[in-house]
Amino acid sequence: MTPAELDQWSNHWLVVVEDALSRWVSPQAPAGLGDAMRYAVLDGGKRLRPLLVLAAREAVAHGTKDAALDEAALRAACAVELIHAYSLVHDDMPCMDNDVLRRGKPTVHVQFGEAQALLAGDALQALAFEFLTPEPSAIPDNVQARLCRLLATSAGHAGMAGGQAIDLASVGVALTEDQLRQMHRLKTGALLEGSVMMGAACGETTLQALNGLKRYGQALGLAFQVVDDILDVIADSATLGKTAGKDAANDKPTYVSLLGLEEAKSYAQSLLREALDALHSTGLTHTHTLVALAERVVNRNT
């Protein structure tokens, strides 16, 4: 898949996902809560996690259409974006990273106040699971249950929340490479891996394919964070849409602080090769979009 073809594919699905989010995240929540929720999730971000869900669904669909499973994948794509958005709302708050800029605009707690930001994050997390369990629905019950478990595991103590806890406990601490890798696999990588596996759950596939997709998601998830660490050093806030240099300012361990800039760049490329090798091992024939997304993640500048 060429970069232009990936752009065309991504632009189509970004419109579909944005439209669904706009329809499904209601402004009618009480006392302005809906406004804060919509502010947190709409009109911003790369939507990488939804795109990974949809690309993995494409890989396991084998070129065939199934309306119920296609709907399941779209709902999973939107649900994982809600979890990501809620995590950013909470991550930016004064009790965590105390950041004022996200996606090129003031963070939710700056715009709406800390209490409303906390509630908006809570409501987005709950809404994600409503997305996965619509009523009535043609989506098979076992698919709905599988998607809920994958998302919960990715977001909870064994995934994103656990990684964030390690991150907060590691400020000013000299971590080993293994410890840093484990933190990033949980904090960032788990939800990216979960996105791939949620897409894979929306179709029939083999154990070999599932294992390969899981290894792809793990390598890509870690690569994303390595590149994030690199960009925090070499990019500016306007380019990133968030505060640059905050990791160093907060004395947080990163791959750049541990390995150095050039070695971190080399490691990101190594993880890309690992991800592509894992895809090749699946035996699936419709993985070109997953390949292109991995290449874009590692070679991005924002």
Side-chain angles (χ1 to χ4, degrees), residues 111-129:
Q111 191 76 9
F112 293 91
E114 290 182 38
Q116 193 78 312
L118 183 65
L119 289 172
D122 292 344
L124 288 170
Q125 182 188 43
L127 185 58
F129 293 94

Side-chain angles (χ1 to χ4, degrees), residues 52-53 55-62 189 192-221 274-291:
L52 285 171
V53 174
R57 160 61 187 154
E58 179 183 279
V60 300
H62 312 292
L192 289 164
E193 177 191 338
S195 299
V196 175
M197 299 313 292
M198 290 173 77
C202 298
E204 296 293 332
T205 189
T206 65
L207 182 59
Q208 174 187 340
L210 284 175
N211 287 338
L213 288 169
K214 184 177 181 66
R215 290 191 292 110
Y216 165 86
Q218 290 173 339
L220 180 64
E274 185 179 326
L276 299 185
D277 286 345
L279 273 186
H280 183 71
S281 77
T282 63
L284 298 170
T285 58
H286 291 74
T287 59
H288 48 283
T289 307
L290 288 171
V291 169

Side-chain angles (χ1 to χ4, degrees), residues 30-31 36-38 50 56 82 146 151 180-181 195 206-207 232 235 241 245 265 287:
M37 292 167 66
R38 289 172 66 85
L82 291 196
R146 176 68 174 152
L151 187 58
L180 184 62
R181 184 183 300 109
S195 299
T206 65
L207 182 59
D232 191 66
K265 290 180 179 179
T287 59

Side-chain angles (χ1 to χ4, degrees), residues 154 158-160 162-163 166 182-191:
S154 299
M160 181 182 68
I166 297 172
Q182 175 66 2
M183 179 180 80
H184 284 333
R185 282 198 186 282
L186 298 181
K187 181 185 175 184
T188 304
L191 202 57

